[in-house]
Amino acid sequence: MKKIVYPMLLSAVLLTACSKKEENKIQEPMTDPPVESVNNAPQTTAEDVATVPSFKYAEADQFAQEYSKFVSEFKTATANNDKEALKTLGPKLNEYQKRGVELAKRVPQDEAVAFQDFLNKLESYIK
């Protein structure tokens, strides 16, 4: 009986001792933490908006041309703080965003990633 009890007690003591070492281990702070800065954000220009990729899917290509033109008008109105233009462009912005989401679902698989990247790029110009 002693042959069974003593090894079990010894293994239990060893297991608890090992697990306590891991629990009490102090985590050291990062020596070089990553820093995010808004100042390093890439600046967008009207020329970037003007470069529109062409898509094989005709509806996506037409939408890309229209939406790119709209975004450049929206950026111009925002930069000039033209409140009248922003009143008319605001509802159109929501319409274009909805159309873009719906169209992204219908774009063929081989162009879906490029189309989504294009939409994301234009969205970043708006913000």
Side-chain angles (χ1 to χ4, degrees):
M1 180 88 162
K2 291 180 183 179
K3 291 181 180 179
I4 296 174
V5 174
Y6 287 132
M8 289 178 74
L9 285 174
L10 181 62
S11 62
V13 169
L14 287 175
L15 285 175
T16 56
C18 291
S19 65
K20 285 186 178 181
K21 286 182 182 177
E22 291 176 9
E23 290 174 1
N24 294 334
K25 188 175 181 179
I26 298 173
Q27 292 184 348
E28 297 177 13
M30 294 177 70
T31 56
D32 190 19
V35 178
E36 293 183 21
S37 175
V38 178
N39 296 335
N40 295 338
Q43 297 295 324
T44 58
T45 61
E47 294 172 359
D48 293 337
V49 178
T51 55
V52 179
S54 60
F55 298 102
K56 294 176 189 172
Y57 190 61
E59 190 177 355
D61 192 49
Q62 180 184 2
F63 176 78
Q65 298 294 329
E66 291 175 11
Y67 194 32
S68 177
K69 184 179 175 183
F70 170 79
V71 168
S72 62
E73 290 174 9
F74 188 83
K75 282 190 64 87
T76 304
T78 304
N80 295 332
N81 203 13
D82 187 359
K83 293 181 181 180
E84 292 298 319
L86 289 174
K87 282 182 183 178
T88 59
L89 294 175
K92 288 183 181 180
L93 175 63
N94 294 335
E95 179 184 322
Y96 274 111
Q97 289 173 338
K98 287 178 187 176
R99 281 181 52 200
V101 169
E102 292 171 5
L103 188 58
K105 295 175 186 175
R106 295 190 309 248
V107 172
Q109 197 70 23
D110 58 333
E111 292 187 325
V113 174
F115 186 74
Q116 190 62 45
D117 289 343
F118 171 73
L119 289 178
N120 292 339
K121 184 173 107 176
L122 287 183
E123 291 295 322
S124 70
Y125 293 147
I126 292 172
K127 295 176 184 177

